[in-house]
């Protein structure tokens, strides 16, 4: 979403066929043993002889003009080999490019990785050092003198929108407003999405519900902190090992901000310890390269958890107003959303991505969505799994719940009444193709979850979610080895979702060989052409399209080799069950040739066999899901306990069902954490107060119940196996589902996030006198 | 750059000598589950670390005349594995068991929990409610003080230069006694108490409460001993009215701060709620003959 699909894209129609490998759960997960035994190499595990340790000096102020930086004392400290500031990087003009699901502006990218005129948030890098040990590097940081002029700051999105709010950028005038404003503003841009006639729609409503919601910024919470190792050589080439979801994007960004040729930068993605959208931007990489360039030594940099929280992108905190009008029988006549999103210190929140999702579960004639992209003194936001959508669903799906209650309609029924289906006109442009939303709702209706009895103070909630699937540039090479095994070199990153296993399954299915005979190997940027990053649920969906293309390409080559051996025409050879066979009895009486036999002889008969794909995938299948949840509320402490959780989602086709379920589980757990406790907390000086897992409370295992899952399969017609993206949809419903369940349990509507014990208790106390009076 | 020095003495005298002679900043190391975190976060930069885990007196658990004594460096898991201790002091163990995860408890000691002087330390209210005392040695010899006199504020203790806690002593309580500790945290585990309550009480043959001690964690700069809350129980059968008075007294005693972990109002309210819940567990244990 957000990015326009290419008219020259690749789609391969869905074909129903008997499957041997796809749809099974191979027990030999390719990455499992190395991960469990600690042998998998993450970026922080990579060391080279002679490396220095790099450390970053960060702003202790939320907003300050940098008047001067004196690095002389640090440079003199023994063991310090390089000290850099923004003066070591070229300034960048305004220039936009896609980074993951979000759009970046290089003027701001270079200012995010190293502050220039101003420090714009607590944790903003202002200088970096490389030294022979970590303790020397840390000591050197203390010797750098920065003269700050502290400026008034603004943290909250609604406050930042006020006309008298402290301005982050005096040159910023709101885009998308007519007539163009004359006064600068923290509102960087206004975006509007419209369908039909909103006023008319509300006129036709029998009931209109309008509610305001506030959500706090939440971090992706990946366990692996950002880490990079860079070597800059005398010859002017840079090599980087880093923790990323998209090494080609990192290379592109590095080449830009360092003014290097793309060909001179090589990026190798290490095993990834989670990213969830947060590892599509350069943070440490450019600093490590320049420190290496200036010191002549390799430089390794690893963020502390504190740095990860303070300075890598969380998702936006938001202020959202949802207004929905319905007829007496529950038909939505009009729906409107106002979305005020923090983008952090520079423009570019996830609004362009999430505005299309606002009402795209329902077939509505009249829609108006207005989004405001607002800067404030926080780290620049990054994508976070279905960027921006969970907060919207928090609003829309709780308003739907309220409407259902008011009209005495079952919450699943009211969704079915309005459900989007094939042919539904979306408010962001296209009509929907075949989708499985109704199927997930129908499955929910008859699910055993609904039969579980509820005790006092327990309640049940339901909410639904939608997210599109990205395609984009995807390259891969399939090498058929001399022994008949296959090496599939992929250019997306396995973001720990199991893509390498899914690719191996697809290749095994296509070639007709066992799963164990295929090994999927992560590429670096030099072994393949450009790949877009692993974002937008595209990993398996788009990557498998390249796997199909490369496999079929290799099969064509293998059939050619067989034809040469048999001295027949290539079109007289077919590929079946891992063997080349004569297309018919007329071709001749030849024993089928196995992949191993062909591979062994291929050298003589034309050369090594490889298959390629260099495509732009389009036709991604949108995903829909329905979540059911039961909670128990402790009326005396406000604690909310999740008792039961069920996820029903359309995966199109689950290639490796256990991994698909793991995506559902992981997203729901992140959603539960976000719903109940996760939030960025700032003090009155704009300093983040909880930059660690003790006080930034992601859920622990015992906070989460068994999560039941049901995979619905409505094939995506544009994919040969019918695959849809699955990773993002399941983080969208939890906030709303939990809020609805809390209401069902104790009769309070939580519209302020997180629904933490103090907030729930305060809401209960507020409701108590009112209830007593009734 | 000066390097950090690490020493692991095997006798108390050596430990005291090391601590007393040190010129720069010195840190005692027990399990290190606070110390290592503080070093990593650059909160402390010790020149000398004195590891006390190799000293006999600090690592023993033993029954003595009049009570139980355990070394300050005994790990949580060692206490959990000691069946008789667990049966005798379920309230103290409520607190110990809540410290971190199994992995953390494999190293974390009660001495460290007490001397780290966090107002939210989980074993401390339970120890205080149980009437525990601490044996301290230093350059000037030995002294014995109630546990509530060790922490004086967040990260601050009454220990003098060169002193360390050797062991804790839990005096036998009369028949009909029971103790319990509970905390409130937003997460089920691996979290820091927003409020913690430790209560020990003793019932007479008539079922009337004859003695009680109530300690509240995380609601002030240090763990509070709340006499009024104890008084609310003494002379009653720990009935509804007594529990209401207990809750009110517990809430009234709180003087918390608003912070990232909870608002003032919230802590005050939940202190009362928890006091009531903990008293009921202590009551049940007292009635069941457990202490
Ligand atoms: C992941 C994690 C979770 C945690 N969860 C909890 C929790 O739920 N509840 C809780 O209360 N705590 C928790 N903690 C904090 C910590 O584990 C406890 O405070 C623990 O009891 C400290 O014991 P230790 O032996 O590791 O102390 P150390 O880290 O070795 O020492 C702590 C402090 O006490 C001093 N000290 C230690 N022993 C002595 C002594 N004998 N005499 C004088 N000074 C001494 C040290 O110098 C230091 O200042 C957690 C820590 C971690 C890392």
């Amino acid at each position: 979403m957000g990015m326009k699909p290419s008219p020259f894209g690749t789609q391969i129609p869905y074909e129903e066929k008997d499957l041997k490998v796809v749809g099974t759960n191979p027990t030999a997960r390719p990455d499992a043993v190395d991960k469990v035994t600690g042998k998998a190499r993450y970026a922080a595990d990579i060391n080279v002889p002679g490396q220095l340790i790099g450390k970053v000096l960060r702003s202790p102020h939320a907003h300050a003009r940098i008047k001067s930086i004196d690095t002389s004392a640090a440079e003199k400290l023994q063991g310090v080999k390089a000290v850099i500031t923004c003066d070591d990087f070229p300034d960048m003009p305004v220039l936009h490019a896609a980074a993951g699901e979000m759009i970046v502006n290089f003027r701001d990218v270079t200012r995010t990785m190293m502050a220039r005129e101003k420090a714009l948030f607590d944790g903003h890098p202002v200088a970096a050092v490389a030294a022979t040990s970590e303790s020397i590097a840390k000591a050197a940081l203390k010797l750098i003198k920065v003269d700050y002029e502290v400026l008034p700051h603004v943290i909250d999105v609604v406050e930042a929108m006020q006309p008298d709010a402290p301005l982050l950028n005096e040159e910023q005038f709101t885009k998308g407003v007519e007539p163009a404003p004359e006064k600068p503003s923290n509102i960087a841009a206004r975006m509007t999405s419209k369908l039909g006639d909103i006023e008319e729609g509300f006129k036709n409503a029998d009931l209109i519900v309008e509610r305001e919601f506030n959500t706090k910024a939440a971090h992706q919470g990946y366990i692996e902190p950002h880490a990079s190792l860079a070597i800059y050589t005398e010859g002017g080439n840079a090599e980087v090992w880093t923790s990323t979801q998209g090494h080609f994007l990192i290379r592109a960004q590095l080449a830009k901000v360092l003014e290097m040729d793309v060909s001179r930068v090589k990026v190798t993605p290490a095993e990834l310890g989670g990213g969830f959208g947060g590892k599509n931007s350069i943070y440490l990489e450019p600093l490590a390269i320049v420190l290496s360039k200036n010191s002549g030594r390799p430089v390794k940099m690893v963020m502390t958890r504190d740095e990860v929280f303070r300075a890598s992108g969380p998702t936006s905190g938001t202020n959202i107003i949802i207004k929905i009008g319905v007829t007496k029988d529950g038909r939505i006549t009009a729906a409107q959303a106002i979305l005020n999103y923090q983008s952090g210190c520079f423009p570019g929140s996830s609004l362009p991505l999430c505005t299309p999702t606002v009402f795209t579960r329902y077939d509505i004639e009249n829609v108006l969505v207005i989004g405001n992209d607002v800067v404030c003194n926080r780290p620049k936001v990054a994508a976070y799994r279905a960027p921006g959508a969970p907060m919207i669903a928090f609003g829309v799906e709780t308003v739907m719940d309220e409407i259902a209650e008011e009209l005495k309609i079952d919450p699943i029924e009211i969704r079915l009444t309005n459900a989007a289906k094939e042919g539904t006109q979306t408010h962001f442009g296209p009509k929907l193709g075949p989708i499985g939303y109704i199927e997930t709702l129908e499955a929910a209706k008859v699910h055993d979850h609904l039969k579980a009895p509820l005790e006092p103070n327990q309640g049940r909630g339901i909410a639904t979610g939608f997210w599109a699937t990205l395609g984009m540039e995807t390259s891969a090479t399939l090498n058929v080895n001399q022994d008949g095994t296959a090496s599939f070199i992929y250019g997306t990153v396995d973001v720990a979702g199991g893509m390498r296993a899914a690719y191996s399954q697809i290749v095994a299915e296509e070639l007709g060989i066992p799963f164990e005979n295929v090994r999927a190997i992560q590429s670096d940027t030099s072994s393949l052409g450009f790949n877009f990053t692993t974002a937008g649920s595209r990993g398996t969906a788009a990557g498998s399209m390249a796997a199909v293309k490369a496999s079929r390409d290799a099969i064509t080559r293998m059939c050619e080799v067989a034809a040469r051996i048999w001295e027949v025409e290539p079109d007289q050879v077919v590929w079946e069950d891992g063997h080349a066979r004569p297309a018919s009895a007329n071709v001749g009486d030849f024993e089928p040739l196995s992949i191993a036999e062909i591979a062994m002889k291929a050298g003589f008969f034309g050369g090594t066999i490889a298959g390629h794909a260099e495509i732009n995938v389009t036709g991604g299948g949108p995903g829909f899901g329905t979540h059911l949840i039961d909670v128990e509320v402790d009326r005396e402490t406000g604690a909310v306990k999740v008792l039961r959780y069920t996820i029903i989602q359309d995966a199109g086709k689950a290639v490796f069902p256990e991994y698909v379920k793991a995506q559902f589980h992981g997203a729901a757990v992140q959603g539960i954490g976000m719903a109940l406790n996760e939030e960025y907390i700032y003090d009155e000086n704009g300093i983040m107060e909880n930059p660690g897992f003790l006080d930034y409370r992601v859920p622990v295992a015992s906070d989460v119940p068994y999560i039941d899952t049901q995979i619905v399969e409505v094939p995506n017609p544009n994919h040969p196996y019918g695959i849809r993206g699955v990773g993002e949809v399941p983080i969208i419903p939890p906030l709303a589902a939990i809020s609805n369940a809390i209401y069902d349990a104790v009769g309070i509507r939580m519209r302020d996030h997180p629904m933490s014990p103090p907030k729930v208790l305060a809401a209960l106390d507020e409701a108590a006198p009112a209830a007593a009076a009734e | 750059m000066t390097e950090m020095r690490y020493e692991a003495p095997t006798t108390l005298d050596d430990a005291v000598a090391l601590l007393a002679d040190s010129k720069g900043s010195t840190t005692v190391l027990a399990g290190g589950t606070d110390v290592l975190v503080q070093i990593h976060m650059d909160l402390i930069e010790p020149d000398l670390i004195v590891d006390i885990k190799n000293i006999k007196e600090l690592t023993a658990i033993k029954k003595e005349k009049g009570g139980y004594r355990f070394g300050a460096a005994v790990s949580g898991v060692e206490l959990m594995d000691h069946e008789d201790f667990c049966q005798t002091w379920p309230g103290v163990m409520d607190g110990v068991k809540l410290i971190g995860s199994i992995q953390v408890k494999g190293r974390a000691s009660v001495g460290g929990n007490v001397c780290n002087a966090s107002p939210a330390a989980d074993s401390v209210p339970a120890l205080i409610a149980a009437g525990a005392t601490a044996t301290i040695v230093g350059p000037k010899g030995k002294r014995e003080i109630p546990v509530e006199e060790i922490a004086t504020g967040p990260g601050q203790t009454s220990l003098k230069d060169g002193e360390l806690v050797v062991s804790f002593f839990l005096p036998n309580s009369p028949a009909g006694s029971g103790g319990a500790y509970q905390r409130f945290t937003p997460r089920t585990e691996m979290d820091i108490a927003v409020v913690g309550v430790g209560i020990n009480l003793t019932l007479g043959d008539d079922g009337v409460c004859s003695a009680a001690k109530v300690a509240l964690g995380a609601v002030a700069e240090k763990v509070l001993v709340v006499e009024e809350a104890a008084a609310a129980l003494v002379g009653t059968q720990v009935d509804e009215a007594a529990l209401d008075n207990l809750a009110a007294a517990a809430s009234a005693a709180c003087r918390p701060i608003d912070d990232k972990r909870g608002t003032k109002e919230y802590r005050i309210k939940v202190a009362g709620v928890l006091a009531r819940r903990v008293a009921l567990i202590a009551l049940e244990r007292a009635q069941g003959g457990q202490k």
Side-chain angles (χ1 to χ4, degrees):
Chain A
M1 266 181 293
M3 261 144 296
K4 272 211 176 61
S6 161
F8 309 104
T10 296
Q11 302 181 3
I12 303 175
Y14 173 68
E15 224 181 301
E16 205 175 334
K17 57 181 176 193
D18 288 339
L19 300 171
K20 293 204 176 81
V21 191
V22 169
T24 67
N25 294 307
T27 45
R29 297 192 186 192
D31 50 339
V33 175
D34 284 349
K35 282 181 174 169
V36 171
T37 57
K39 292 292 190 294
R41 289 212 303 168
Y42 295 86
D45 298 323
I46 300 170
N47 294 298
V48 293
Q51 75 188 18
L52 302 173
I53 300 299
K55 282 270 151 200
V56 179
L57 182 69
R58 296 177 184 278
S59 167
H61 305 296
H63 194 190
R65 198 171 304 285
I66 300 172
K67 291 163 74 181
S68 66
I69 305 179
D70 179 359
T71 58
S72 54
E75 279 159 35
K76 285 190 203 110
L77 184 69
Q78 197 181 355
V80 172
K81 303 292 179 190
V83 183
I84 57 170
T85 66
C86 66
D87 294 340
D88 294 270
F89 299 93
D91 199 355
M92 288 275 128
V94 170
L95 179 68
H96 292 94
E101 292 174 275
M102 322 261 281
I103 305 290
V104 297
N105 174 353
F106 280 101
R107 175 199 173 271
D108 302 339
V109 170
T110 198
R111 280 167 175 74
T112 305
M113 69 194 208
M114 191 62 94
R116 296 190 83 85
E117 9 338 82
K118 279 199 209 175
L120 291 166
F121 59 94
D122 161 42
H124 201 159
V126 291
V129 301
T132 48
S133 77
E134 182 175 346
S135 51
I136 296 175
K138 281 187 186 169
L141 293 184
K142 291 188 188 150
L143 297 174
I144 299 175
K145 290 186 209 73
V146 186
D147 187 7
Y148 292 106
E149 177 196 342
V150 178
L151 302 169
H153 67 277
V154 61
I155 293 290
D156 180 72
V157 64
V158 176
E159 282 169 27
M161 291 170 73
Q162 302 310 313
D164 56 349
L167 284 176
L168 274 75
N169 180 353
E170 295 78 5
E171 311 291 312
Q172 178 176 283
F173 298 85
T174 311
K175 285 191 201 132
V177 181
E178 293 291 340
E182 283 164 18
K183 277 184 64 186
S185 163
N186 288 325
I187 307 174
R190 177 158 306 164
M191 295 157 222
T192 310
S193 169
K194 266 190 219 172
L195 186 68
D197 181 339
I198 192 77
E199 315 244 305
E200 195 57 32
F202 281 122
K203 264 190 219 144
N204 295 334
D206 298 316
L207 170 70
I208 297 174
V209 175
E210 181 172 13
R211 298 285 178 248
E212 184 168 351
F213 300 82
N214 289 291
T215 69
K216 294 282 174 55
H219 197 271
Q220 296 82 349
Y222 29 81
I223 298 298
E224 181 206 19
H226 297 258
S228 305
L229 170 69
I231 305 178
Y232 188 92
T233 64
E234 304 280 313
N237 299 314
E239 234 183 290
V240 183
W241 289 260
T242 195
S243 168
T244 180
Q245 297 171 236
H247 42 314
F248 290 93
L249 265 192
I250 295 296
R251 179 182 66 169
Q253 292 175 24
L254 287 173
K256 267 278 177 312
V257 299
L258 300 175
E259 295 184 327
M260 291 174 72
D261 290 345
V262 170
S263 60
R264 288 192 174 275
V265 185
K266 178 181 168 191
V267 180
T268 305
E271 191 67 72
L272 190 72
F276 311 107
K279 289 181 179 163
N280 290 313
S281 328
I282 49 174
Y283 293 109
L284 298 175
E285 295 89 346
L287 313 187
I289 291 176
V290 174
L291 286 169
S292 173
K293 183 177 179 182
N294 292 5
S295 64
R297 303 259 294 262
V299 174
K300 168 134 176 214
M301 301 181 82
V302 181
M303 281 196 200
T304 61
R305 181 64 57 191
D306 173 279
E307 291 178 292
V308 171
F309 274 114
R310 284 165 67 209
S312 71
T315 189
S316 301
T318 70
N319 166 258
I320 292 174
I321 301 163
I322 301 292
K323 181 176 172 187
I324 298 179
V326 288
T327 59
K328 277 199 280 296
D329 52 1
R331 259 314 293 168
I332 302 172
T333 59
Q336 177 181 304
I338 296 168
L339 312 171
N340 299 316
Y341 272 47
Q342 297 157 0
S343 63
C345 60
F346 292 114
S349 68
S350 56
L351 277 173
L353 297 165
C354 60
T355 38
T357 74
V358 181
F359 297 112
T360 308
R361 289 174 300 294
Y362 305 115
D363 185 358
I364 313 175
E365 275 176 36
N366 308 298
V367 176
L368 175 62
V369 179
I370 296 171
N372 288 307
D373 190 43
V374 185
V375 296
C376 42
N377 294 108
R378 296 167 173 266
K380 169 77 175 67
V381 300
Y384 177 14
R385 209 167 190 163
M391 307 76 123
I392 298 174
F394 180 43
V396 173
E397 293 292 283
T398 50
V399 168
M400 287 299 284
D401 204 61
E402 221 176 301
I403 288 172
E405 193 207 7
E406 185 76 29
L407 298 177
K408 300 193 171 57
I409 303 177
D410 175 80
I412 297 182
E413 282 307 331
I414 196 165
R415 288 173 170 86
L416 278 169
T417 304
N418 294 286
K421 52 184 174 294
E422 183 167 6
T424 295
Q425 174 64 52
T426 64
H427 59 88
F428 64 98
K431 283 194 172 153
L432 292 169
I435 53 166
Y437 184 46
I438 289 177
E439 285 78 353
T440 67
L441 287 165
E442 295 287 358
K445 235 164 83 173
V446 297
H447 198 281
D448 278 348
H449 184 127
L450 300 184
K451 297 190 193 118
L454 293 170
E455 314 266 314
N457 299 323
Q458 297 183 349
R460 182 162 292 152
I462 170 195
T464 63
F466 149 73
W467 195 254
T469 304
L470 211 58
M472 305 292 284
E473 297 99 319
T474 313
S475 310
T477 293
L478 178 65
N479 292 315
V480 177
N481 304 316
Q482 301 92 307
D483 59 356
T485 61
S487 302
F488 180 67
I489 319 297
Y490 58 95
T492 48
V493 170
D494 185 342
V495 291
M499 270 90 81
R500 78 197 87 182
Y503 298 154
S504 299
Q505 284 176 286
I506 298 276
V507 170
E509 189 77 54
E510 289 284 323
L511 297 186
I513 61 175
F515 171 76
E516 293 72 25
N517 288 11
V518 184
R519 176 151 179 246
I521 300 168
Q522 178 76 67
S523 76
D524 57 39
T525 53
S526 63
S527 47
L528 290 176
F530 181 85
N531 267 268
F532 194 67
T533 190
T534 306
S537 297
R538 73 184 285 272
T540 302
S544 65
M545 194 91 97
V548 169
K549 199 103 203 306
S551 299
R552 292 182 185 178
D553 190 23
I555 288 171
T556 307
R557 294 283 320 281
M558 291 193 283
C559 288
E560 269 168 26
V561 169
R564 285 176 188 156
I565 294 171
W566 292 334
E567 297 179 353
V568 300
E569 291 305 312
D571 62 4
Q572 293 178 301
V573 182
V574 291
W575 190 261
E576 263 174 36
D577 284 337
H579 290 76
R581 298 172 197 272
S584 69
N586 301 340
V587 176
D589 186 17
F590 300 113
E591 275 296 300
L593 287 166
S594 72
I595 187 167
E597 288 167 310
I598 293 173
M600 205 165 61
K601 294 184 178 161
F604 179 80
F605 284 95
T608 305
I609 289 169
H612 290 273
E614 286 86 19
I615 53 179
N616 185 325
V617 179
T618 54
F624 290 81
T626 296
H627 290 204
L628 302 170
I629 181 171
D630 294 353
V631 303
E632 180 170 76
V633 181
D634 183 334
R635 283 182 177 269
E636 290 182 319
T637 64
V640 175
K641 183 175 172 196
V642 182
L643 302 171
R644 231 169 263 115
Y645 206 113
T646 302
I647 299 175
I648 305 164
Q649 187 179 319
D650 176 18
K653 174 74 200 171
V655 179
F656 195 136
E658 286 300 326
Y659 269 129
V660 170
K661 289 179 185 171
Q663 287 293 309
F664 294 0
H665 288 160
V669 171
Q670 286 185 312
I672 290 170
M674 206 200 263
L676 295 181
N677 285 307
E678 291 179 39
E679 60 175 319
Y680 266 54
I681 303 173
Y682 284 91
D683 72 8
E684 69 276 15
N685 298 318
I687 306 303
M688 188 185 178
E689 286 197 289
N690 58 337
F693 281 136
L694 180 57
D695 289 304
Y696 182 90
R697 294 185 167 97
V698 300
V700 297
S702 50
D703 290 327
V704 180
Y706 169 74
I707 298 172
D708 196 8
T709 53
Q710 186 176 336
I711 302 172
V712 169
E713 294 186 331
V714 176
N716 167 15
N718 305 319
H719 189 288
Y721 290 87
I723 297 170
R724 298 175 188 276
V726 296
E728 294 178 287
V729 174
I731 201 176
I732 298 172
L735 270 73
I738 288 178
S739 171
N740 290 340
I742 292 174
Y743 177 77
D744 191 44
V746 292
I748 51 167
R749 289 264 175 217
M750 295 301 296
R751 301 191 185 98
D752 265 337
H753 157 269
M755 294 169 264
S756 57
K759 284 204 184 134
V760 172
L761 192 62
L764 281 165
D765 285 349
E766 208 175 295
E774 265 173 32
Chain B
M1 301 288 302
T2 53
E3 296 296 319
M4 194 188 286
R5 195 175 136 216
Y6 169 88
E7 297 287 349
T10 52
T11 67
L12 265 181
D13 288 348
D14 287 353
V16 170
L18 274 165
L19 293 173
D21 294 349
S22 167
K23 308 261 165 341
S25 61
T26 310
T27 300
V28 170
L29 177 81
T33 59
D34 283 314
V35 169
L36 264 76
V37 174
Q38 288 159 6
I39 291 175
H40 279 298
M41 292 179 72
D42 296 326
L43 296 174
I44 55 171
E45 286 175 274
D47 299 307
L48 172 65
I49 286 190
V50 180
D51 186 337
I52 54 174
K53 286 193 294 295
N54 298 322
I55 305 168
K56 203 171 73 252
E57 292 87 334
L58 275 128
T59 51
I61 310 175
K62 61 176 191 287
K63 222 171 185 159
E64 284 182 1
K65 193 162 69 51
Y68 245 114
R69 181 174 296 282
F70 65 96
V74 169
S75 75
V77 167
E78 283 170 303
L79 285 172
M80 285 160 67
D81 286 346
H82 197 291
E83 250 175 66
D84 189 59
F85 185 88
C86 290
Q87 257 171 29
T88 318
W89 296 105
V92 171
M93 290 313 295
D94 283 346
V96 170
K97 283 189 208 151
L98 282 168
I99 298 174
S101 58
I102 282 289
Q103 292 92 326
V104 170
K105 281 188 281 273
R107 301 204 65 87
S109 65
V110 170
N113 201 227
V114 172
C115 296
N116 190 54
S118 157
D122 282 311
S123 71
V124 178
L127 283 173
I128 292 174
T133 57
T135 303
I136 295 166
V137 294
K140 294 194 180 133
K142 232 187 212 185
R143 60 192 181 104
E144 184 101 9
I145 59 170
V147 169
E148 49 265 52
E149 286 174 19
I150 296 180
T152 54
Q156 305 296 318
T157 67
S158 62
L159 297 181
K160 308 209 174 61
D161 278 351
E163 281 192 326
L164 63 93
V165 176
V166 181
S167 61
F168 296 98
F169 182 72
L170 286 159
N172 289 338
S173 37
S177 298
Y181 171 81
Q182 275 198 358
R183 66 174 186 187
F184 180 80
T185 54
R187 279 191 293 216
T188 45
E189 285 179 90
M190 303 300 286
D191 211 338
I192 184 162
V194 174
V195 177
V197 180
I199 297 180
N200 274 57
L201 55 83
T202 304
L203 300 176
D205 291 339
D206 50 359
V208 172
C209 175
S210 58
K213 195 164 181 185
V214 179
L216 302 185
V219 294
E221 71 290 348
K222 60 176 184 174
V223 175
L224 298 179
V225 179
V226 188
E227 312 270 353
E228 298 77 8
L233 298 177
V234 175
T236 75
Q237 296 204 312
V238 193
D239 48 20
E240 271 306 302
L243 290 169
D244 283 347
N245 292 337
L246 165 75
S251 288
C254 300
R255 42 169 198 269
I257 45 165
D258 269 327
D259 75 358
K260 59 195 171 189
R261 290 171 187 149
T263 59
K264 267 189 216 169
E265 301 74 52
Y266 185 74
R267 287 187 147 125
I268 290 170
K269 192 152 183 202
V270 174
V273 170
L274 268 197
R276 168 191 283 276
R277 292 182 184 179
V278 172
L280 286 172
I281 302 171
L283 177 68
E284 201 181 306
R285 286 176 179 167
Q287 288 163 341
Q290 276 187 313
K291 289 166 201 154

